[in-house]
Amino acid sequence: MKARFLMCAPQHFEVAYVINPWMEGNIARGSNPAAMQQWSALLALLRHHAQVDCISAREGVPDLVFTANAGLVLESRVLLSNFRHAERRPEEAYFSQWFVEHGFEVLALPPDVYFEGAGDALFDRRLPLLWMGHGHRSDPAAAAMIASLFDVEVEPLRLVNPHFYHLDTCLCPLEGGALLYYPAAFDAVSQERIATLVPPELRIAVGAADADAFACNAVNCGRHVILNQASDNLCAALAAHGYAVHQTRLSEFMKAGGSAKCLTLKLTEARTPALALP
Ligand code: ARG
């Protein structure tokens, strides 16, 4: 089955407020034509490998482009996000309407439990588990609720660096089972959990320079990995694992704290095969 993703064009994208450290000093510093050009290049690349649907851009919700935060999709159901920051809450109704119109069963958490969708919740591609980031945006209390709603094992990971405030900024499970991630973004217990669950030959750990260039914020489709930028070493490591790396500049979106993966939401999420956890 061809993978399908959701994106949102950046007509109304700008840095209009500060809710993460990347946005500091960047209010009204962006170029909308440059954002449009970078986004279109990402869309064109992704369309080589997948079907892409777009939700209409709307005025007053500049971060709507970051569709990864719409919710968490599994099969035909979606658990909508409850954004931590008031600035992003108006996006919830637009995403909800899109999912209803496109035949998804829409689920929600209690309104006081913050959860930022596929920004903080990523299915492993080998283990039958969902990695869930918390510490900045999503509440740890969401983990047990997601586990029971979706009948999945949830592995909470604590994020400790404010620059890596969503799980998808520092961790990317790849098809075939490899895990691309930035260890320093996690507390010691979480680093240990990852090392226990994922064997060394499947861990692709990046250093600070790659992490700062949003290399972990990658869109994976089959053996293709689309990202803003990766060092020669990282490209070689990914190639050694069988992946083809496509670099496409997303500097305008980095001013808002996002990059390739944040600008997409995978809509075709199937359950992973059940393998025993160690
Ligand atoms: N400005 C947005 C925010 O801080 C960026 C979101 C990036 N999305 C992501 N999935 N990491 O909420």
Side-chain angles (χ1 to χ4, degrees):
M1 180 185 58
K2 200 168 186 178
R4 189 173 151 224
F5 289 84
L6 179 66
M7 291 180 67
C8 174
Q11 273 99 331
H12 300 294
F13 171 68
E14 60 173 332
V15 180
Y17 45 76
V18 175
I19 57 171
N20 70 56
W22 302 86
M23 300 174 103
E24 272 161 31
N26 278 326
I27 289 188
R29 283 271 173 83
S31 154
N32 194 269
M36 197 57 89
Q37 180 272 320
Q38 293 180 351
W39 182 87
S40 301
L42 174 66
L43 174 67
L45 250 177
L46 191 53
R47 281 203 165 136
H48 281 125
H49 311 291
Q51 181 188 328
V52 182
D53 289 12
C54 290
I55 179 175
S56 310
R58 311 278 183 143
E59 235 173 301
V61 279
D63 279 339
L64 195 73
V65 293
F66 298 115
T67 52
N69 298 122
L72 172 66
V73 174
L74 180 58
E75 297 172 323
S76 60
R77 301 198 297 164
V78 59
L79 177 60
L80 284 184
S81 290
N82 286 340
F83 285 99
R84 178 170 293 270
H85 296 102
E87 290 87 340
R88 294 201 65 183
R89 282 184 210 141
E91 298 176 33
E92 292 168 9
Y94 295 130
F95 285 129
S96 175
Q97 185 191 351
W98 188 92
F99 285 117
V100 168
E101 287 172 2
H102 289 79
F104 286 82
E105 183 189 337
V106 174
L107 314 176
L109 293 174
D112 58 333
V113 178
Y114 298 128
F115 173 62
E116 300 205 351
D120 268 333
L122 299 168
F123 289 103
D124 195 81
R125 301 304 183 195
R126 179 183 66 101
L127 302 164
L129 66 79
L130 178 76
W131 302 103
M132 196 199 109
H134 64 92
H136 299 297
R137 298 293 182 86
S138 298
D139 281 330
M145 297 177 186
I146 296 169
S148 91
L149 276 174
F150 281 142
D151 189 23
V152 290
E153 184 109 14
V154 179
E155 188 64 45
L157 298 173
R158 186 167 181 80
L159 302 167
V160 293
N161 179 332
H163 276 92
F164 301 94
Y165 57 93
H166 276 141
L167 183 64
D168 69 0
T169 62
C170 50
L171 182 137
C172 180
L174 297 171
E175 288 180 40
L179 189 71
L180 173 66
Y181 76 120
Y182 178 44
F186 300 91
D187 74 358
V189 172
S190 304
Q191 290 185 32
E192 195 50 48
R193 261 326 261 164
I194 294 171
T196 304
L197 291 166
V198 184
E201 66 277 14
L202 290 177
R203 297 199 299 266
I204 306 175
V206 312
D210 274 318
D212 288 344
F214 272 75
C216 296
N217 196 243
V219 187
N220 174 219
C221 197
R223 60 181 202 88
H224 298 280
V225 174
I226 303 173
L227 44 72
N228 172 63
Q229 196 185 305
S231 64
D232 292 346
N233 278 347
L234 178 55
C235 289
L238 285 164
H241 282 82
Y243 300 103
V245 181
H246 307 270
Q247 303 187 49
T248 188
R249 199 168 154 74
L250 292 161
S251 54
E252 286 301 317
F253 299 97
M254 286 171 63
K255 293 174 185 172
S259 178
K261 160 65 172 61
C262 308
L263 292 167
T264 69
L265 176 71
K266 192 169 181 191
L267 295 168
T268 40
E269 285 288 359
R271 283 176 190 276
T272 47
L275 301 173
L277 295 181

